[in-house]
Amino acid sequence: MAFARTGSVALLGVDGVVVEVQADLEPGVAAFTIVGLPDKALSEARDRVRAAVVNSGEKWPQRKLTVGLSPASVPKSGSGFDLAIACAVLAAAERLDPASIAGLLLIGELGLDGRARPVRGVLPAVLAAAEAGYRTVVVPAQTAPEAALVPGIDVQGVRTLRQLIALLSGQEPVPEPADPTERALPDNALAGLSLPGLGVRSRATDGSDLRDLADVAGQHEARRALEIAAAGGHHLYLKGPPGAGKTMLAERLPGILPPLTPQEALEVTAVHSVAGLLPPGKPLLGSAPYCAPHHSTTMPAIVGGGSGLPRPGAVSLAHRGVLFLDEAPEFPVRVLDALRQPLESGEVVVARAAGSLRLPARFLLVMAANPCPCGRWSRRGEGCECTPTMVSRYQARLSGPLLDRVDLRVEVEPVTRLALMERDTTAESTASVAARVQAARDRAAARLAGTPWRTNGEVPGHELRTRWRLADGALHDAERELERGLLTARGLDRVLRVAWTTADLAGLDRPGRAQVRTALSLRSGVPHGLPHQPA
């Protein structure tokens, strides 16, 4: 029978669709056709697969060959179908038993010399295969550890097509002769697996990251806000003059975030695998990612998009981590306002002519900004050279609806000479603050057990007002500001979330009036009653 089939996966964003790869040989003039909406890279598989088969010592069938990718209505892209196409062709030519590949799912690119080269997106592809009922997956050896993260899957890692043919034929793999020209060179097969990112880093994978919260001089209020943001997953806006420490604070926020749970680690790793940002030798990301794009970054790079099918942007690369927008007013207004939907829903939907994709985007937003173009504006009016119109226009670049979604707004004061030159023995380290954050997260997790929410920042306001009620009289100040029009309904919900987080940090069963006042102060920047003392 001159027909064979096997399986592979087409990636649509961070979701995989299982594709049946069919090969049919018929009498006629030798030709090789691929059908099923292939893109340019997939169409070029005809030349890659033919050369790989011949250079692996196999005979190429000199007949009319048609390779079909089903379902034909789903767009397919990339070179990850090469292994599946090669095995389907060899099985149709009776070099392999068609039954030996019918239940397999193969993912990988082929070099012209027959080497199996890794591709991006192996983890989400194998997750899709597991959901479809596949139990055995064949991938290039370099990405086998990443594929093995999916439980219940038998992963076979191969380095060459010759080795795969021997494996499927039940033969002993032939040892590959060493290439003397590659002994002292890096593995070129990994060249396309990792791509430059949008300032993305992870504390676990960056061994040179020695940033510690104790390095920040002064800024006790901003440090407290940073701790609350980490404990409850609240968005943070830092405004202050240049050199006050806004960027230093934001860069140290990932260090006090708790480690990712196993489910969160798989979500983050899947996004970074598709984007080509997994570091070599680190198949699983266990700590919160940190993404800091430049203010000239375009909207597709921030939200997700690109030509053809959209790809993950910075909001997805920061999923379960921190998205830091330094010099936030310098970003285009359209880019900033595009963040409003993912800030509420935790996901972003990108629609293109080729299709629509839903990408995860549950991130912690941190924005930093100067108070005016010259950076020296203050309520005292000392030293600023900007006109009132210039100050108003500059601050208006951050729209009201965007700021309404930010829970914490902190004025970062200039660092005094005493705080800068004298050693502050009271400054806490990242480790001590992270321990308090973890304890607060544990209290919130115990309270939210059995619900779809994990942090206070995710809980809807209706649930906070009805299911978890505050102490009597705790909302008196918030209700007064709501009546005066100084607080929106969304703002009240976010005040409740922050109040619960401050209560968790203080070890209280529920927030009182002091915690609500603290939340109001952190939201408006205006003190309300007595300040809340750190735990």
Side-chain angles (χ1 to χ4, degrees):
M1 181 179 67
F3 177 83
R5 64 165 64 95
T6 188
S8 191
V9 175
L11 286 177
L12 302 178
V14 294
D15 298 318
V17 177
V18 174
V19 173
E20 185 178 78
V21 180
Q22 306 167 344
D24 178 71
L25 284 171
E26 298 178 1
V29 179
F32 188 177
T33 305
I34 299 178
V35 297
L37 287 184
D39 70 343
K40 180 65 174 176
L42 182 51
S43 298
E44 292 173 349
R46 296 173 299 190
D47 300 314
R48 290 195 302 270
V49 171
R50 181 188 292 111
V53 168
V54 173
N55 290 329
S56 297
E58 302 296 331
K59 184 178 179 181
W60 184 259
Q62 298 299 318
R63 285 183 282 174
K64 181 182 179 181
L65 171 61
T66 303
V67 171
L69 307 175
S70 178
S73 59
V74 176
K76 291 91 178 174
S77 60
S79 56
F81 295 87
D82 290 4
L83 276 179
I85 292 175
C87 289
V89 171
L90 291 174
E94 301 181 349
R95 172 61 181 85
L96 295 174
D97 181 6
S100 66
I101 65 170
L104 289 182
L105 190 133
L106 302 101
I107 306 166
E109 178 186 334
L110 282 174
L112 301 184
D113 56 356
R115 285 186 301 167
R117 299 175 62 90
V119 294
R120 290 174 281 146
V122 167
L123 177 58
V126 177
L127 285 171
E131 293 178 359
Y134 282 87
R135 291 295 173 262
T136 305
V137 174
V138 178
V139 297
Q142 294 91 334
T143 53
E146 180 183 346
L149 296 173
V150 182
I153 294 292
D154 178 22
V155 178
Q156 301 288 336
V158 296
R159 294 193 174 277
T160 63
L161 179 60
R162 184 184 291 109
Q163 181 184 357
L164 177 57
I165 294 172
L167 179 67
L168 297 176
S169 303
Q171 304 172 359
E172 288 293 329
V174 179
E176 297 295 330
D179 188 347
T181 62
E182 296 184 357
R183 288 177 180 173
L185 298 178
D187 188 355
N188 293 329
L190 298 173
L193 191 59
S194 180
L195 299 178
L198 290 168
V200 181
R201 66 172 173 85
S202 172
R203 187 178 180 89
T205 58
D206 189 357
S208 61
D209 187 8
L210 301 177
R211 299 175 179 90
D212 195 282
L213 203 55
D215 300 335
V216 180
Q219 307 301 353
H220 298 290
E221 182 181 357
R223 291 164 61 98
R224 175 63 176 169
L226 206 71
E227 180 179 344
I228 294 175
H234 305 292
H235 307 303
L236 176 63
Y237 173 42
L238 300 171
K239 183 171 72 172
K246 303 185 295 294
T247 302
M248 288 185 66
L249 288 164
E251 289 177 341
R252 283 148 181 80
L253 178 56
I256 63 176
L257 289 175
L260 300 177
T261 65
Q263 179 61 35
E264 291 172 343
L266 284 178
E267 294 174 6
V268 173
T269 303
V271 175
H272 285 239
S273 177
V274 169
L277 296 176
L278 280 183
K282 298 286 185 180
L284 184 67
L285 297 178
S287 62
Y290 172 85
C291 187
H294 190 260
H295 58 74
S296 62
T297 307
T298 62
M299 182 181 291
I302 294 289
V303 179
S307 60
L309 287 175
R311 303 189 67 83
V315 296
S316 297
L317 297 177
H319 180 59
R320 302 295 179 187
V322 178
L323 176 63
F324 177 45
L325 302 185
D326 200 5
E327 306 294 344
E330 301 297 334
F331 281 81
V333 175
R334 290 179 61 250
V335 173
L336 293 174
D337 286 340
L339 299 176
R340 286 151 58 177
Q341 184 239 344
L343 284 176
E344 286 290 323
S345 63
E347 60 183 17
V348 59
V349 179
V350 183
R352 294 289 185 273
S356 298
L357 293 180
R358 190 180 304 272
L359 300 170
R362 179 71 66 183
F363 57 90
L364 197 164
L365 175 66
V366 180
M367 296 189 296
N370 295 326
C372 66
C374 77
R376 295 191 296 272
W377 181 89
S378 66
R379 290 189 175 93
R380 296 187 299 269
E382 299 174 357
C384 180
E385 301 175 354
C386 305
T387 64
T389 302
M390 294 172 60
V391 175
S392 304
R393 186 182 297 116
Y394 185 80
Q395 295 182 355
R397 294 180 184 177
L398 300 180
S399 66
L402 174 63
L403 291 178
D404 198 39
R405 290 166 167 82
V406 178
D407 307 338
L408 310 172
R409 309 174 194 174
V410 180
E411 295 273 354
V412 182
E413 298 294 335
V415 182
T416 63
R417 181 192 63 82
L418 183 63
L420 187 62
M421 304 305 296
E422 297 290 335
R423 179 177 177 83
D424 188 1
T425 58
T426 63
E428 294 182 292
S429 66
T430 292
S432 60
V433 176
R436 285 203 303 270
V437 169
Q438 182 64 64
R441 287 277 185 117
D442 292 340
R443 291 183 65 89
R447 183 175 62 253
L448 300 175
T451 70
W453 311 296
R454 305 177 186 180
T455 62
N456 293 322
E458 300 176 14
V459 183
H462 173 73
E463 297 289 336
L464 291 174
R465 294 191 300 271
T466 59
R467 187 170 179 178
W468 292 288
R469 301 185 65 85
L470 277 63
D472 294 338
L475 286 177
H476 176 74
D477 298 280
E479 291 171 350
R480 185 174 56 188
E481 295 218 355
L482 188 63
E483 292 176 354
R484 297 170 59 190
L486 300 178
L487 191 67
T488 64
R490 180 190 289 118
L492 176 61
D493 293 343
R494 295 188 176 275
V495 165
L496 291 175
R497 295 172 182 174
V498 175
W500 273 104
T501 300
T502 56
D504 289 335
L505 285 168
L508 302 177
D509 292 334
R510 58 177 179 171
R513 190 172 183 179
Q515 285 72 42
V516 174
R517 285 178 170 177
T518 298
L520 286 170
S521 299
L522 288 171
R523 180 169 180 82
S524 63
V526 179
H528 289 72
L530 295 176
H532 178 66
Q533 297 298 326

